[in-house]
Amino acid sequence: MTDQATAPEPENATAPDIPGKPISASRTTLSHIMTHNDTNLLGTVHGGVIMKLVDDAAGAVAGRHSGGPAVTASMDEMAFLEPVRVGDLVHVKAQVNWTGRTSMEVGVRVLAERWNESAPATQVGSAYLVFAAVDADGRPRRVPPVVPETERDRRRYQEAQIRRTHRLARRRAIMELRARRAAEGFED
């Protein structure tokens, strides 16, 4: 079923006046050939180079979806599955998975293929990032709800809600622990 009217609403939406945007409207692929400048001491591409590409692609998607500036709030579950080598053509595919009132989760898949071969690309990494939309003064601003279009999009939306619940629970548990330790006289 791909009827946009049946798409789930963000759980914290308060203003139905912002029309939703389909996931495909902001989906992006960023491609880059890896060179010797991108390598670490082991001769493979430095993880930080891949993370920057991931953040760049995710930021483009967040800005497109929100219609303006968006800043990285967190990066979850950055997984490096295979090493990337000099001469690999890296494709970073990003899309909005979920939206809240002012934030968005962007899912990213990183694929690599040899620049001079016709073999299929291999997934070499993945990550989930949370972006906050901001206005010109850096204050949070509303984002349009995301409209999942396929069953895969709906699954990603539901999984993003689970990750959000876990992020909030983890933050709450840490704050409670810090408050308890402070009450007991421990300084961190």
Side-chain angles (χ1 to χ4, degrees):
M1 179 187 310
T2 60
D3 180 14
Q4 292 181 3
T6 62
E9 280 293 311
E11 62 191 44
N12 56 354
T14 58
D17 57 330
I18 299 178
K21 282 188 177 180
I23 286 175
S24 61
S26 59
R27 189 176 282 140
T28 298
T29 300
L30 173 69
S31 297
H32 187 78
I33 293 178
M34 298 291 110
T35 68
H36 289 286
N37 293 333
D38 301 317
T39 60
N40 59 26
L41 295 174
L42 299 174
T44 56
V45 173
H46 195 287
V49 170
I50 301 299
M51 290 174 74
K52 181 176 182 339
L53 293 173
V54 164
D55 192 47
D56 287 347
V61 166
R64 289 173 109 180
H65 182 81
S66 68
V71 296
T72 311
S74 70
M75 178 183 272
D76 291 350
E77 301 178 39
M78 180 72 212
F80 297 100
L81 307 173
E82 298 284 337
V84 177
R85 300 172 293 156
V86 169
D88 281 353
L89 178 57
V90 172
H91 307 285
V92 182
K93 298 176 176 275
Q95 73 174 44
V96 173
N97 288 335
W98 177 89
T99 53
R101 195 175 65 78
T102 62
S103 65
M104 302 156 274
E105 183 195 90
V106 178
V108 181
R109 288 181 56 222
V110 183
L111 303 137
E113 61 182 304
R114 295 305 293 168
W115 70 274
N116 59 349
E117 296 176 9
S118 60
T122 303
Q123 184 171 354
V124 296
S126 65
Y128 299 101
L129 296 88
V130 176
F131 280 79
V134 295
D135 64 17
D137 297 318
R139 289 188 297 265
R141 63 180 174 80
R142 297 267 327 190
V143 299
V146 69
V147 179
E149 300 169 279
T150 66
E151 281 306 314
R152 177 183 254 176
D153 293 342
R154 284 184 268 289
R155 176 186 54 80
R156 288 178 175 169
Y157 184 95
Q158 292 170 332
E159 289 172 357
Q161 287 179 306
I162 293 168
R163 282 187 292 275
R164 179 178 185 273
T165 299
H166 286 234
R167 276 191 298 274
L168 294 174
R170 183 177 60 232
R171 183 180 344 162
R172 198 170 28 256
I174 289 170
M175 297 309 289
E176 289 170 2
L177 174 64
R178 288 180 181 174
R180 198 167 48 248
R181 287 184 52 83
E184 294 170 357
F186 294 103
E187 290 185 32
D188 289 337

